[in-house]
Amino acid sequence: MARQNYLFTSESVSEGHPDKVCDRISDAILDYLLTEDENARVACETFATSGLVVIGGEIGLPDRNGRKGSDRLKDAMGRIPEIARECIKDIGYEQAKFHWNTCHVLNFLHEQSVNIAQGVDRDGAGDQGIMFGYAVDETPELMPAPILYAHAILKRLSQARKSGAEPTLGPDAKSQLTLRYEDGKPVEVTQLVLSTQHHDAAQTSEDIRAIVEPYIREVLPKGWLTEATEWWVNPTGTFVIGGPDGDAGLTGRKIIVDTYGGAAPHGGGAFSGKDPTKVDRSAAYAARYVAKNVVAAGLAKRCTLQLSYAIGVAEPLSIYVDTHGTGQVLESEIERAIAACMDLTPRGIRTKLGLNRPIYSRTSAYGHFGRAPEADGGFSWEQTDLAENLKKNV
């Protein structure tokens, strides 16, 4: 039987964290190329350090209107450094050693390997791998509460910074929440950690807490912060040098932050900079979509779903469901219903969730899951429109 009383911790990082700067640039390049062509192939990696951004990886555009894809790519390449600078500017970096207008941007993107392309062109998966989806009924978003609220704190502080309400705050920040669960539900924050960059070197941890505490209290459910809650705000003291100037960044290094905060397994593949033919991304989104709909349908209070794929093969090799003892029907019946209700081939996923659109920059910070579906197709995998069909098929 699953434990009902315990502590659980998750962390988040802001859009200005060095790794998230890189995720943002990689996803912005993906969005740009998908705007050029919905069938663009992108596997883009970014590295950032003091005064320098390096971009590499494989990209491809199909032949179109009598023009070769390679020629179209040459035209697109000129926009890449500008896109990187736009991302850095929007995040808010104007430091002496990491400034959007003065940092060096090196572009080493090249055309996608024909060996990889040939399998994808036959509608197969872009790579082998295992992907996990997860949902739990402890929050309205059907997400684990620690990661959901760790994200919410940083997103709210970013809004306050960018609006001008809190100009002393910098772009780089990290949060961490430890929640106490009672009878399987989160009831209290026992430990709260927040480290945020600030511009005034004279500011103390107490000064920063006075700035951020009202926003944190605004975001967290009432009653979760108690007299017993321990606060750790900028516990090392001064945090003026932030972003890639303080610590190098790389695309894809925050996969647990991106998903479920450690509350569920992760297949290992990162998301940012990958077009939706890459099942690392699209099948992980599909797995979240299906798991969320299983819980939304009332078939379980908690659901972990695993999918597996082989490069060049369209159909998933396996579908595995674990309802952690909360299921209303057998897991094998849910697995059969999933196979009947959802086309889990790479093309089927892209079509169902509308993934061939420039909707990815917004996913690069504050989590890929637990976000509200948007009118233009962003976060389509958070819809619960599959729930009724699943119920009919079990």
Side-chain angles (χ1 to χ4, degrees), residues 10-23 93 146-147 149-158 171-177 193-196 239 247 250 253-258 261 363-368 371:
S10 293
E11 69 155 346
S12 178
V13 298
S14 72
E15 66 202 83
H17 184 281
D19 296 331
K20 284 291 151 196
V21 172
C22 295
D23 285 348
Y93 278 113
I147 188 66
Y149 288 105
H151 287 322
I153 288 169
L154 294 184
K155 191 170 185 180
R156 183 67 186 94
L157 292 176
S158 174
D172 197 354
K174 302 179 80 171
S175 65
Q176 184 171 289
L177 284 179
V193 184
L194 180 81
S195 296
T196 181
F239 183 7
D247 189 12
L250 191 66
R253 283 204 297 202
K254 287 293 178 284
I255 57 177
I256 301 303
V257 169
D258 284 343
T363 69
S364 62
Y366 313 118
H368 292 247
R371 312 277 287 271

Side-chain angles (χ1 to χ4, degrees), residues 66 131 141 159 182 209 227 230 244 286 340-341 359-360:
M131 296 83 208
E141 295 83 359
Q159 291 166 348
E182 189 174 284
R209 176 172 172 174
E227 291 296 323
E230 294 192 46
C341 295
I359 55 174
Y360 297 103

